[in-house]
Amino acid sequence: MKFKSLNPLLHSPLRLAIMSYMIANRKSDFKELKEATEATSGNLSVQLQKLSDAGYIDIIKGYKNNYQHTGVEIKPAGVDAFEEYVQALKGYIDQ
Amino acid sequence: MSLQEKMSPQESLAIIQNMIQDARDRFSESGHIYVFWGGFIFILALAQYILLQTPYAWANYYPYFLTPLGSLYSARYYRKKKPASKSQNRISRLIQQLWIVLSINILILAFFFFWALQTALIPIILILSGIGVIISGTSLQERIIIFAGIASNVLGFLAFWVELDTQPLVLAIASLISYFLPGLRLRQQYKRRHEV
């Protein structure tokens, strides 16, 4: 009840960590996010896909130096959602 | 248990703070290279100043022939640091590129255009490096580096009014104020951040 207005998609440790990192960096890649969040590849993939499905991030698959590369970019909708989440969070903390 | 019930607002805030700090740490400067260049240029400039006051004034610019050694050291330092550090991000790449371009330009000016620039050489070097320091400081969000860059910039303009014989002293002071001291402060902050 208390956390009802917090965006459930962001109110998960790993997804919140990903979004916080993306807010600070705007662009990143799978490898960097894996190191930063210390998540497993499988879990990270799943959570990235969820954030992508919500339109918060773009996942760009391609090649870099002949190796597969997965780029990640935050989208304006992701920035808005994160800002709303932080605003809602402030409300709870200020209480 | 739903996802919403897994975290308290304080835990959420802690995650946000940690991740943003982590993102910042990835391109946070340990201060080592600032301390190195600050000390190195201080010694070279001081040596030039001393030579200018002696009968060996003709050799006053000789100490700067050691500059490539400093560049080699920097290159080696970054190469060694790279595998230990996590993936570079856009900002750290940008800062690195900026300094490579600035360093090449400064070296070309100092070694090939000294005859044309004469008394303007040291002021121009200080102004150019000041711009680099300001941009680095802004990207790293480190106020102390921004102020150091402004100091280098201002000293560069002031150096136009200083005699050629005394200009190395301005360069020595600028290297202390703009690189060495902020480098020490950064190192202190970096150590404190990494101890926690």
Side-chain angles (χ1 to χ4, degrees):
Chain A
M1 187 73 182
K2 196 180 175 188
F3 299 103
K4 206 172 179 179
S5 64
L6 289 174
N7 181 342
L9 198 65
L10 293 184
H11 200 63
S12 123
L14 183 52
R15 289 195 294 268
L16 185 60
I18 295 168
M19 288 302 286
S20 305
Y21 193 83
M22 292 308 298
I23 282 286
N25 273 332
R26 305 281 152 166
K27 276 183 185 179
S28 185
D29 58 34
F30 190 86
K31 190 180 160 215
E32 191 174 288
L33 283 169
K34 193 168 174 272
E35 285 172 355
T37 58
E38 293 174 356
T40 60
S41 297
N43 198 5
L44 184 62
S45 292
V46 170
Q47 304 312 328
L48 283 174
Q49 197 52 57
K50 282 186 183 174
L51 291 169
S52 173
D53 291 343
Y56 293 172
I57 56 165
D58 259 338
I59 299 173
I60 306 135
K61 289 196 187 279
Y63 284 88
K64 198 175 176 183
N65 302 326
N66 293 327
Y67 287 98
Q68 264 196 338
H69 178 260
T70 306
V72 181
E73 265 180 46
I74 192 161
K75 289 170 80 173
V79 176
D80 292 344
F82 187 83
E83 280 171 358
E84 275 168 29
Y85 180 84
V86 171
Q87 282 306 320
L89 205 60
K90 272 184 190 166
Y92 290 109
I93 291 165
D94 290 343
Q95 262 177 8
Chain B
M1 191 184 269
S2 75
L3 280 173
Q4 279 123 304
E5 289 161 342
K6 279 183 183 168
M7 288 194 296
S8 71
Q10 282 75 15
E11 283 168 334
S12 298
L13 195 67
I15 288 176
I16 294 170
Q17 283 171 336
N18 285 341
M19 291 311 294
I20 290 176
Q21 188 59 52
D22 186 88
R24 228 179 128 185
D25 279 347
R26 278 165 186 262
F27 49 87
S28 166
E29 182 54 63
S30 69
H32 178 80
I33 214 73
Y34 280 79
V35 171
F36 168 74
W37 277 106
F40 190 57
I41 296 294
F42 175 78
I43 293 165
L44 298 184
L46 206 64
Q48 185 189 20
Y49 176 72
I50 292 165
L51 282 169
L52 279 167
Q53 320 303 315
T54 67
Y56 301 103
W58 52 270
N60 74 84
Y61 55 90
Y62 279 22
Y64 294 109
F65 286 126
L66 294 173
T67 318
L69 286 181
S71 306
L72 279 178
Y73 174 79
S74 298
R76 197 169 159 261
Y77 169 76
Y78 280 115
R79 227 191 352 254
K80 250 175 101 177
K81 195 181 163 195
K82 211 175 169 184
S85 69
K86 295 168 179 177
S87 313
Q88 277 190 316
N89 69 8
R90 222 155 38 99
I91 294 176
S92 64
R93 274 194 296 270
L94 183 89
I95 295 177
Q96 222 167 310
Q97 292 298 320
L98 169 79
W99 279 107
I100 290 170
V101 171
L102 272 179
S103 308
I104 291 170
N105 277 275
I106 288 172
L107 285 174
I108 291 172
L109 283 175
F111 286 103
F112 301 107
F113 291 92
F114 173 74
W115 56 273
L117 294 167
Q118 300 283 335
T119 53
L121 180 63
I122 287 181
I124 288 173
I125 289 175
L126 286 175
I127 292 166
L128 282 178
S129 55
I131 294 169
V133 176
I134 292 169
I135 296 173
S136 302
T138 311
S139 312
L140 296 167
Q141 297 168 29
E142 292 288 357
R143 236 186 309 175
I144 190 158
I145 302 202
I146 299 172
F147 290 139
I150 294 170
S152 173
N153 214 234
V154 171
L155 280 168
F157 285 107
L158 290 177
F160 277 114
W161 280 284
V162 177
E163 292 289 317
L164 188 67
D165 288 10
T166 324
Q167 276 186 350
L169 209 56
V170 178
L171 182 61
I173 294 167
S175 60
L176 277 190
I177 297 174
S178 307
Y179 297 92
F180 192 78
L181 296 177
L184 286 183
R185 172 99 179 109
L186 275 180
R187 194 143 79 173
Q188 204 180 19
Q189 285 178 345
Y190 187 83
K191 273 186 185 167
R192 202 171 48 219
R193 218 183 279 151
H194 287 259
E195 272 166 12
V196 180

